Amino acid sequence: MERITYTATIERIVEHDVDTRSLFLRLPAKTAFTFTPGQFISVAIPLPNENRVRPYTIASSPGDDGPLEIVLDLVPGGAGSEYLFARTVGDRLNFTGPFGLFTLERPPDIETIFAAEATAIAPIRPMLHRALAQPSTVPLKLFHAARTRKELLYADEFQATARRYANFSYEPILAQPPAGWSGRSGTVMEHIRALFVDGDARRDRAFYLCGVGNGVIELRDLLRKAGYPRRAVQYERW
Amino acid sequence: MARLRVIFESGEPERVIEFSPSQAPFQHDGRPGSILDVLLGHGVPLEHACGGNCACTTCHVIVKQGFDKLSEAEEREEDMLDRAPGLTPTSRLGCQAVIEDDDAEIVIVVPRYTINQQVADSRS
């Protein structure tokens, strides 16, 4: 199957932190591009001697008619992020997609826990929009862990969402919180274990976990070994 | 030397790669010494939309010979493969299956189709 290559223009760049930014990618008018919350695009990275592709999760929601938002960290020596951090508004990017199977297609009908670390919140954000698309009393909980407040991307938005929807709660977690922090502290693992493994014997919950490195695999193992059905524990490890 | 024969369901001419597993990695994507690494490092393309991170199934291959000469699949690869179109008992993800044996004779088929991607069509 021949892939369709899309060419988008960088419409806007938002700096979340010195080494974290969002790129907003505008496709030409009348381009039909659809995706499922959680999916990523595969961006072409032209290097002097080769072409590579690097995946970037879409942090915006399908159907909102705005540009596609991707969030990235500057990874020293990382070909993709160094190339993308050197782009400016008006530059064009080529990509294929969408790809990926870590998705949420419809509002869940059992209690659902979303957990992510830092920029791995990207797939969770459109998932939450989809999960809240219909009025529901099914509890939805977001645990977002980070090292610093600045890494808690979209915190204002999630707080506003929690005020608006009685069935949604937002639980930011800082590893080493500053004075005056009213959220949780520690690791996402500690809180998930305390609340949903040791906290009760219920196993009728679903989990969507995303992170960089092995932590997400440890979390998957914790939950599956604790008796949650394999398919109720969805995850993506970057 | 290990030997990797690649048959393309799309009808492209097959390729045979001879290589020494101990010299991996051959390039940057996928696990060092994986089928994806060996192919890309020898100029044979294999789609890998996620960059070889076990986050999609675009590098799905079917192993016709030498399945037991490959590294064992981890749970993450199995979880991903479960949702691969055209799954077979000897399916692997090219980015995860590492050829470790110096005398391995591996034959793989690269399937013609993947429906991992939703095909978008232009209205213009």
Side-chain angles (χ1 to χ4, degrees), chain A residues 3-4 6 224 230 235, chain B residues 47 75 79 82-83 117 120:
Chain A
R3 300 283 183 220
I4 297 169
Y6 297 91
R224 287 184 175 173
R230 183 166 163 250
Y235 62 101
Chain B
E47 190 171 33
E75 191 170 345
D79 284 340
D82 277 355
R83 295 156 81 178
Q117 182 196 33

Side-chain angles (χ1 to χ4, degrees), chain A residues 1-233:
Chain A
M1 188 195 300
E2 198 61 38
R3 300 283 183 220
I4 297 169
T5 298
Y6 297 91
T7 301
T9 304
I10 300 175
E11 184 178 274
R12 195 156 59 96
I13 298 173
V14 170
E15 305 265 353
H16 299 290
D17 206 343
V18 286
D19 54 0
T20 306
R21 61 175 57 168
S22 283
L23 303 185
F24 292 81
L25 310 179
R26 176 67 73 177
L27 284 159
K30 294 185 181 173
T31 304
F33 178 84
T34 56
F35 65 99
T36 305
Q39 287 194 298
F40 62 86
I41 56 174
S42 191
V43 179
I45 308 294
L47 298 176
N49 299 317
E50 60 172 315
N51 290 314
R52 279 190 216 166
V53 295
R54 285 292 173 265
Y56 293 95
T57 301
I58 306 169
S60 49
S61 283
D64 67 5
D65 283 338
L68 298 175
E69 178 180 353
I70 58 173
V71 189
L72 54 146
D73 285 320
L74 180 60
V75 180
S81 73
E82 287 187 348
Y83 174 80
L84 290 176
F85 264 72
R87 299 306 97 200
T88 56
V89 168
D91 284 353
R92 292 180 171 192
L93 295 178
N94 290 328
F95 67 86
T96 58
F99 299 97
L101 303 163
F102 179 64
T103 58
L104 186 139
E105 300 199 31
R106 52 187 61 82
D109 43 24
I110 57 169
E111 179 178 354
T112 298
I113 316 302
F114 301 89
E117 292 169 329
T119 51
I121 193 68
I124 304 294
R125 184 176 177 232
M127 285 183 181
L128 278 171
H129 292 172
R130 178 64 57 87
L132 292 162
Q134 292 167 9
S136 168
T137 55
V138 171
L140 306 171
K141 296 181 173 134
L142 169 61
F143 292 80
H144 190 193
R147 289 171 302 177
T148 65
R149 272 182 199 252
K150 276 189 171 177
E151 285 185 352
L152 290 171
L153 305 185
Y154 313 112
D156 292 346
E157 174 185 314
F158 293 137
Q159 277 160 2
T161 305
R163 285 192 294 271
R164 182 172 165 199
Y165 295 93
N167 62 322
F168 172 66
S169 62
Y170 171 54
E171 305 280 359
I173 305 169
L174 286 182
Q176 293 170 324
W181 172 249
S182 60
R184 293 173 184 268
S185 60
T187 66
V188 71
M189 182 77 146
E190 290 165 14
H191 293 287
I192 296 281
R193 182 196 296 275
L195 291 165
F196 308 117
V197 175
D198 299 337
D200 62 31
R202 282 181 49 202
R203 293 297 180 259
D204 55 343
R205 299 182 177 99
F207 295 83
Y208 288 82
L209 319 169
C210 191
V212 177
N214 218 39
V216 70
I217 299 299
E218 290 168 9
L219 207 44
R220 172 201 72 189
D221 290 345
L222 171 76
L223 293 165
R224 287 184 175 173
K225 284 175 185 158
Y228 285 101
R230 183 166 163 250
R231 285 177 197 149
V233 183

Side-chain angles (χ1 to χ4, degrees), chain B residues 8-71:
Chain B
F8 294 93
E9 242 178 35
S10 61
E12 291 165 60
E14 70 175 57
R15 299 282 299 265
V16 177
I17 301 164
E18 293 196 346
F19 64 100
S20 173
S22 61
Q23 285 174 7
F26 300 100
Q27 48 75 68
H28 307 278
D29 291 348
R31 291 193 162 179
S34 63
I35 288 170
L36 178 71
D37 179 31
V38 172
L39 293 187
L40 297 184
H42 292 82
V44 180
L46 179 66
E47 190 171 33
H48 55 295
C50 75
N53 286 303
C54 195
C56 68
T57 61
T58 53
C59 68
H60 171 207
V61 298
I62 298 162
V63 183
K64 291 292 185 186
Q65 184 187 317
F67 190 78
D68 58 354
K69 300 284 185 188
L70 299 170
S71 61

